[in-house]
Amino acid sequence: MKYTEQLKQVLNSKFEYTPKANVQTFGCVQNENDSEKIRGILAQSGYDISENYEVSDIVIFNTCAIRENAELKIFGNIGKLKALKAENPNMIVAVCGCMVMQAHIVDKIKKSYPFVDIVFGVNSIEELPHIVYNWYVDNKRQISSPETKTEIVEDIPVYRESKSKATISIMYGCDNFCSYCIVPYVRGRERSRKPEDILSEFKQLIKEGYKDITLLGQNVDSYGKNLDVKIDFADLLTMLCKVDGDYVLHFMSSHPKDINKKVIDTIRDNPKISRQIHLPVQSGNDRILGLMNRKYTVQQYKDIINYAKEQIPDIGFSSDIIVGFPGETYEEYLDTEKLVKEINFTQLFTFIYSKRTGTKAAIMEDLTSHKEKSERLNRLVKIQQDIFFKYLDSFKGQTVRALVEEKKGDTYSARMANTLVVHFESEDNEIMDQFVNLKITGKKGTVLKADLIINQK
Ligand code: 5AD
Ligand code: SF4
């Protein structure tokens, strides 16, 4: 962090105004969380955070590697900066995140994107002031090659846009090596933050008035495995829920092989924990789950869901599904359809399998056409849409609690603890970022409509 001050001095000498920084995020909530730290570091180093890349003095792309189309989109966006950079050579273009943790991508940037000034890795965020400082002092490209560092750096400043919603990383990396997934290669081995560091960040957020907090990890259910103290994810949840305050606690993602009865019982016993769990199943067929290296069967998945529904009747599950995994037959795909209809997921994120260089699945024979895979995806999306609309209808007439997030004209948008979005009209200007009680009157598209019934301040 000593370079923060040095960078500040360099910026002072180079600019007659406060320079602007724009950080664009691609990918998951973990990347959003990293971007908030990148913005925090840049703000502390003397930049104003801007939403507009065209007027910014440094533009950072925080990238995703999970599927090929994510990478193509990112390269398209980076390409757009070429002209801007030609007009303004003093603008810094930087690329970080999961995509640049792959050697072939760094090579491609080196060769084909000469206007990219800085490349830095997922676990090197805290080095940013030093890297930017070096760019100004050495006046040459700062391209670091991928290295998976494992130490956890605490006390990085965080720049949060929202006054009510926040995320906290409780662990980094992943050890599961699902055969299709690039994450363990780009984010490195799993390591957990110390419980006391998580607790102090959590307490601070509650003190600042945050009301919706999501704990993040690639597999939160294995929290604590590498720590010296004996603590698991359920213990962490119990510890956090002891903090006084009016808030909802979410977590993501869970892994079906690791979520257990203790976690479910902890949710049951702590009303502050959201009754909505994201539990990616990926496939409804045991042979495919085996090839994916998921380490559970469809029956084991159903067993934990049934236990949760017994213990917590109003619990809902959302999930991720991949169609067209190498070798998936039509019949095996139909098992996924069957499971989706049986579980009644509240929300489903469906993906066509994307080959990721370096993973085990990348060398498996894949003879199914893209057209066939798209058809499987479309069928699943349609099935889920019908389930989702019925789910929305089930709220009609109910009184619900939701956190107000946005206002457009006279229409407010609020989010229930189960993550459903509710729209309602109000002229009250003081309910922003507050919990309100709403009576659901119906739905419009994928959002619920409601009347405001009590204004709780
Ligand atoms: N192809 C398609 N989808 C993938 N996911 C992860 N890797 C791939 C891949 N190679 C999906 C999984 C995971 C979600 C975050 O992204 O469903 O749960
Ligand atoms: Fe990827 Fe599996 Fe780890 Fe999730 S648990 S990040 S799908 S390897």
Side-chain angles (χ1 to χ4, degrees):
M1 285 289 149
K2 76 170 194 238
Y3 281 95
T4 310
E5 277 312 307
Q6 264 149 299
L7 176 58
K8 222 181 210 170
Q9 282 167 21
V10 169
L11 295 178
N12 265 335
S13 66
K14 299 253 172 208
F15 292 92
E16 283 164 10
Y17 55 91
T18 310
K20 290 192 173 62
N22 171 257
V23 183
Q24 301 184 29
T25 316
F26 299 84
C28 64
V29 257
Q30 181 58 61
N31 261 17
E32 289 288 353
N33 181 280
D34 287 344
S35 287
E36 290 182 338
K37 291 180 185 142
I38 295 170
R39 291 189 192 102
I41 288 174
L42 292 171
Q44 203 179 50
S45 310
Y47 284 98
D48 263 352
I49 304 303
S50 168
E51 304 243 307
N52 185 353
Y53 71 90
E54 288 178 24
V55 299
S56 290
D57 302 284
I58 179 166
V59 180
I60 299 187
F61 291 94
N62 188 8
T63 63
C64 171
I66 200 100
R67 281 170 291 274
E68 192 187 10
N69 51 11
E71 293 185 344
L72 295 174
K73 186 175 156 196
I74 292 161
F75 273 120
N77 277 274
I78 297 174
K80 280 192 208 152
L81 286 196
K82 189 177 177 184
L84 207 60
K85 174 82 183 172
E87 269 171 39
N88 177 11
N90 292 326
M91 179 181 81
I92 298 178
V93 178
V95 186
C96 67
C98 294
M99 195 175 87
V100 294
M101 297 304 286
Q102 306 168 92
H104 68 278
I105 296 281
V106 176
D107 285 346
K108 183 170 166 177
I109 291 177
K110 268 189 196 157
K111 284 193 200 111
S112 311
Y113 293 79
F115 57 94
V116 171
D117 304 293
I118 291 175
V119 169
F120 63 99
V122 160
N123 303 314
S124 309
I125 289 175
E126 74 285 355
E127 289 169 27
L128 189 56
H130 190 180
I131 300 170
V132 177
Y133 173 84
N134 281 350
W135 185 85
Y136 278 114
V137 173
D138 302 349
N139 212 357
K140 64 171 204 265
R141 297 177 95 186
Q142 307 286 320
I143 313 274
S144 54
S145 20
E147 48 162 341
T148 32
K149 292 202 310 186
T150 51
E151 90 220 59
I152 295 179
V153 180
E154 292 293 343
D155 300 322
I156 295 181
V158 186
Y159 181 97
R160 291 188 166 95
E161 288 289 345
S162 168
K163 297 275 166 287
S164 56
K165 266 176 86 169
T167 56
I168 300 181
S169 291
I170 61 165
M171 58 210 290
Y172 300 96
C174 182
D175 280 352
N176 294 307
F177 289 95
C178 300
S179 63
Y180 50 81
C181 188
I182 195 75
V183 170
Y185 303 92
V186 295
R187 285 203 171 260
R189 296 291 57 74
E190 179 183 295
R191 58 251 181 234
S192 298
R193 279 177 79 194
K194 288 188 194 132
E196 60 269 28
D197 290 332
I198 298 170
L199 182 63
S200 81
E201 185 173 354
F202 185 74
K203 279 184 175 162
Q204 181 60 29
L205 288 172
I206 301 297
K207 206 167 123 194
E208 288 172 23
Y210 283 88
K211 295 191 164 55
D212 182 291
I213 295 178
T214 305
L215 308 178
L216 296 181
Q218 301 299 338
N219 175 6
V220 290
D221 304 294
S222 72
Y223 173 79
K225 279 193 182 152
N226 67 315
L227 291 172
D228 296 336
V229 282
K230 202 177 158 302
I231 181 167
D232 64 15
F233 182 54
D235 300 332
L236 180 76
L237 285 174
T238 305
M239 182 181 88
L240 296 178
C241 285
K242 287 193 182 129
V243 176
D244 278 341
D246 190 12
Y247 57 83
V248 181
L249 186 59
H250 308 262
F251 53 83
M252 71 185 299
S253 287
S254 270
H255 195 306
K257 79 176 165 65
D258 291 312
I259 191 169
N260 54 27
K261 289 186 175 174
K262 186 175 170 190
V263 172
I264 303 293
D265 294 349
T266 307
I267 300 169
R268 180 196 62 205
D269 298 340
N270 287 285
K272 282 174 177 161
I273 303 175
S274 160
R275 268 68 186 125
Q276 175 69 42
I277 300 182
H278 187 60
L279 195 61
V281 66
Q282 312 298 359
S283 165
N285 176 272
D286 284 341
R287 189 185 78 91
I288 297 298
L289 286 177
L291 287 175
M292 287 176 162
N293 193 30
R294 292 290 288 177
K295 301 198 177 90
Y296 55 84
T297 62
V298 175
Q299 191 53 49
Q300 284 164 338
Y301 185 82
K302 287 198 237 177
D303 286 348
I304 193 71
I305 291 221
N306 287 336
Y307 178 77
K309 285 185 176 170
E310 256 165 51
Q311 297 299 314
I312 315 164
D314 61 340
I315 201 159
F317 285 91
S318 58
S319 204
D320 293 344
I321 285 183
I322 297 176
V323 298
F325 184 82
E328 181 193 66
T329 64
Y330 181 62
E331 285 68 31
E332 287 167 338
Y333 157 76
L334 286 181
D335 286 340
T336 301
E337 267 194 15
K338 194 166 145 234
L339 182 74
V340 166
K341 288 178 185 158
E342 204 177 319
I343 305 273
N344 260 318
F345 290 111
T346 53
Q347 216 182 346
L348 207 54
F349 300 88
T350 33
F351 310 103
I352 293 179
Y353 166 75
S354 169
K355 182 173 163 176
R356 305 283 65 211
T357 307
T359 62
K360 289 247 165 69
I363 48 169
M364 293 180 191
E365 196 173 35
D366 185 7
L367 298 173
T368 314
S369 69
H370 189 76
K371 182 166 169 281
E372 169 66 28
K373 291 181 184 185
S374 299
E375 278 165 16
R376 291 179 195 177
L377 183 88
N378 292 340
R379 277 178 62 152
L380 261 193
V381 169
K382 174 80 185 65
I383 291 167
Q384 183 57 27
Q385 218 170 37
D386 294 343
I387 295 173
F388 184 65
F389 286 142
K390 282 197 195 111
Y391 174 58
L392 287 184
D393 287 338
S394 73
F395 286 93
K396 196 165 174 184
Q398 280 190 31
T399 299
V400 303
R401 197 159 183 258
L403 181 62
V404 181
E405 285 185 343
E406 218 183 295
K407 189 183 186 194
K408 278 199 189 123
D410 278 343
T411 306
Y412 277 105
S413 179
R415 198 173 285 273
M416 289 161 61
N418 60 16
T419 73
L420 287 180
V421 177
V422 193
H423 284 180
F424 64 99
E425 312 267 304
S426 173
E427 285 167 11
D428 189 336
N429 283 322
E430 290 179 19
I431 51 176
M432 199 63 192
D433 295 318
Q434 304 296 320
F435 284 115
V436 289
N437 285 338
L438 300 165
K439 178 140 179 144
I440 306 293
T441 53
K443 67 172 189 300
K444 189 175 180 200
T446 55
V447 301
L448 289 165
K449 304 285 282 178
D451 291 332
L452 178 68
I453 52 174
I454 301 173
N455 179 4
Q456 294 184 332
K457 281 183 202 151

